[in-house]
């Protein structure tokens, strides 16, 4: 079986395959990636208005001959050509890393998305209406493809800065991809989608408040937006406290934290509005004027009942009294270890661009690998999630009811993931954010 066929099989199976410490890559070779096809954009190609401003920013990628238009080589890695802000690669090693990261997040959530009851109700088939899903920053396309298999009656559109490595034989007929830079605006999509999914793109966005407003405008009334993004702090198991970064004056610090801190710092230097993303998602969507406050939920990961944050273990150190949960922890931990190691390799072009020598960044990588091999500490990665439905929500809609004490409740996936909690108010969310800051 070829790698392309194996990927297609895994995409259809979802995350049902067993854990392995060295999970094989779910990506294509360069030649296979070159056969990726894209449906012609419904918005057409890029054009300008009378003032020279972009009216439509999407592109149609038709054959492998166009690959050079969207990618360039930097420090031995392939980088997109559309954005100077998002500077992580678009190549085989990075696609492998992103697919592992996807699997870890899906296992933590217990599915492809949070707010399962809401999403399923919104996407339920209705006669005479096509349900539409938008995946912004779709990466390898794996989430969009799996959603198209879960909802064969829906139309799924994935948008990314570079061509997606999907073999046309693995692409369901209800799924297509377009190339676009979210920062150029999404007005061509306004009011068209029942579900909008945005995952791990915050570091690549400028003017986050404007981008959030633009993204929410893509929803139909009653449609749901699902935000998923990274916390650039690495935590430890001791009450999920902050794990300080390694440095010359702190050699015993965390190298995973050093790498994530440098990525955050570099993103800010290049113009990312990452700080506004952190504030907005940690507060949730309750005060967003376009979102119905009764449907807004902020999701995070934590172990303590008094804490409010989903943590994914980095490395195979976590255990649980339930053997099934222990196996889940080990699988997620193995995937996140590989995610961080792959990430340390992927940041070389970004770091050299902001002034670091390649040899220094490679030293960080070696130190990170050693730390994640020895596992003398127990690092965890926190994922921010927030969601809500665009006003007005139809009166007949099934609205998710959140009941809890102390402003939060535990999620209930098939195999309960113990470090996954929801906040049901801005006050509860901000309280937990303040606790995390106090521990730093």
């Amino acid at each position: 079986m070829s790698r392309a066929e194996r990927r297609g099989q895994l995409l259809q199976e979802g995350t049902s395959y067993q854990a392995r410490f060295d999970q094989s890559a779910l990506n294509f070779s360069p030649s296979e990636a070159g056969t990726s096809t894209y449906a012609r954009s419904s918005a057409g190609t890029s054009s300008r208005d009378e003032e020279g401003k972009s009216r439509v920013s999407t592109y149609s990628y038709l054959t492998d001959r166009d690959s050079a238009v969207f990618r360039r080589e930097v420090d031995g890695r392939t980088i997109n050509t559309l954005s100077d802000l998002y500077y992580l690669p678009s190549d085989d090693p990075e696609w492998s890393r992103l697919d592992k990261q996807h699997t870890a997040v899906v296992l933590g959530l217990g599915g492809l998305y949070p707010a399962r009851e809401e999403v399923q109700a919104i996407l339920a088939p209705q006669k005479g209406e096509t349900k539409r899903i938008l995946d912004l920053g779709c990466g390898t396309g794996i989430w969009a493809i799996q959603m198209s298999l879960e909802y064969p009656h829906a139309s799924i559109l994935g948008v990314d800065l570079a061509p997606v490595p999907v073999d046309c034989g693995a692409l369901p007929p209800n799924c297509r991809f377009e190339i676009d830079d979210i920062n150029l605006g999404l007005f061509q999509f306004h009011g068209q989608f029942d579900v909008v999914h945005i995952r791990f793109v915050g570091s690549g966005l400028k003017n986050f408040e404007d981008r959030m407003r633009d993204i929410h405008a893509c929803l139909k009334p009653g449609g749901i937006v699902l935000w998923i993004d990274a916390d650039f702090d690495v935590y430890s198991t001791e009450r999920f406290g902050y794990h300080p970064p390694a440095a010359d004056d702190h050699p015993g610090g965390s190298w995973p934290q050093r790498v994530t801190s440098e990525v955050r710092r570099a993103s800010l230097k290049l113009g990312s509005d990452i700080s506004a993303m952190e504030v907005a998602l940690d507060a949730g969507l309750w005060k967003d004027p376009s979102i119905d406050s009764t449907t807004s939920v902020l999701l995070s990961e934590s172990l303590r009942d008094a804490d409010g944050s989903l943590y994914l273990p980095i490395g195979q150190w976590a255990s649980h009294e339930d053997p099934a949960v222990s196996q889940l922890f080990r699988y997620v931990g193995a995937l996140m270890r590989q995610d961080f190691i792959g990430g340390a390799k992927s940041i070389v072009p970004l770091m050299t661009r902001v002034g670091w020598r390649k040899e220094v960044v490679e030293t960080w990588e070696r130190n990170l690998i050693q730390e994640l091999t020895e596992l003398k500490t127990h690092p965890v990665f926190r994922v921010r999630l927030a969601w809500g439905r665009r006003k007005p929500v139809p009166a007949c809609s099934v609205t998710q009811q959140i009941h809890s004490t102390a402003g939060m409740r535990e999620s209930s996936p098939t195999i309960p993931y113990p470090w996954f909690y929801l906040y049901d108010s801005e006050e509860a969310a901000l309280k937990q954010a303040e606790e995390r800051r106090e521990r730093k």
Side-chain angles (χ1 to χ4, degrees), residues 24 35 74 86 93 111-112 166 169 175-176 181 186 202 204 230 236 263 269 277 302 316 334 340 355 357 370 372 394:
S24 59
T35 64
V74 179
Y86 187 84
L112 288 171
V166 177
C175 182
R176 62 191 180 89
D181 182 354
L186 299 170
S236 66
V263 169
K269 190 171 183 178
M277 177 275 288
S302 178
Q316 294 182 300
F340 266 72
R357 297 197 324 274
Q370 181 178 351
L372 294 184

Side-chain angles (χ1 to χ4, degrees), residues 100-127:
K100 292 166 186 173
Q101 183 186 78
H102 162 84
T103 302
V105 171
V106 168
L107 289 170
L109 292 177
L112 288 171
Y113 43 83
R116 285 184 296 277
E117 294 176 2
E118 283 287 323
V119 172
Q120 289 168 1
I122 291 168
L123 293 178
Q126 286 185 268
K127 189 175 181 180

Side-chain angles (χ1 to χ4, degrees), residues 118-192:
E118 283 287 323
V119 172
Q120 289 168 1
I122 291 168
L123 293 178
Q126 286 185 268
K127 189 175 181 180
E129 179 182 353
T130 299
K131 300 296 183 176
R132 302 190 69 197
I133 301 169
L134 178 62
D135 185 17
L136 294 172
C138 64
T140 67
I142 188 170
W143 187 89
I145 291 173
Q146 290 183 352
M147 284 294 286
S148 69
L149 295 170
E150 185 169 335
Y151 294 97
H153 61 280
S155 174
I156 292 84
L157 172 62
V159 176
D160 203 78
L161 287 165
V164 173
V166 177
D167 180 72
C168 58
L171 192 63
N174 60 327
C175 182
R176 62 191 180 89
F177 297 97
E178 293 181 355
I179 298 174
D180 197 3
D181 182 354
I182 298 170
N183 289 301
L184 298 180
L186 299 170
F187 74 91
Q188 70 271 25
F189 297 143
H190 284 185
Q192 297 183 32

Side-chain angles (χ1 to χ4, degrees), residues 41-103:
S41 169
S42 59
T45 55
S46 181
S47 59
R48 301 277 170 176
D49 62 17
E50 60 275 9
E51 297 179 354
K53 297 179 180 179
S54 175
R55 291 190 285 117
V56 177
S57 57
T58 53
Y59 298 83
S60 296
Y61 179 80
L62 300 177
T63 68
D64 57 349
R65 72 185 175 208
D66 297 317
S67 180
V69 175
F70 302 106
R71 297 190 179 109
R72 66 187 186 276
E73 294 296 320
V74 179
D75 287 318
R77 301 298 297 269
T78 305
I79 305 293
N80 82 86
T81 60
L82 293 187
S83 173
D84 286 332
L85 177 56
Y86 187 84
Y87 223 66
L88 291 180
S90 178
D91 55 20
D92 263 7
E94 181 68 357
W95 294 330
S96 174
R97 183 185 76 85
L98 291 176
D99 276 341
K100 292 166 186 173
Q101 183 186 78
H102 162 84
T103 302

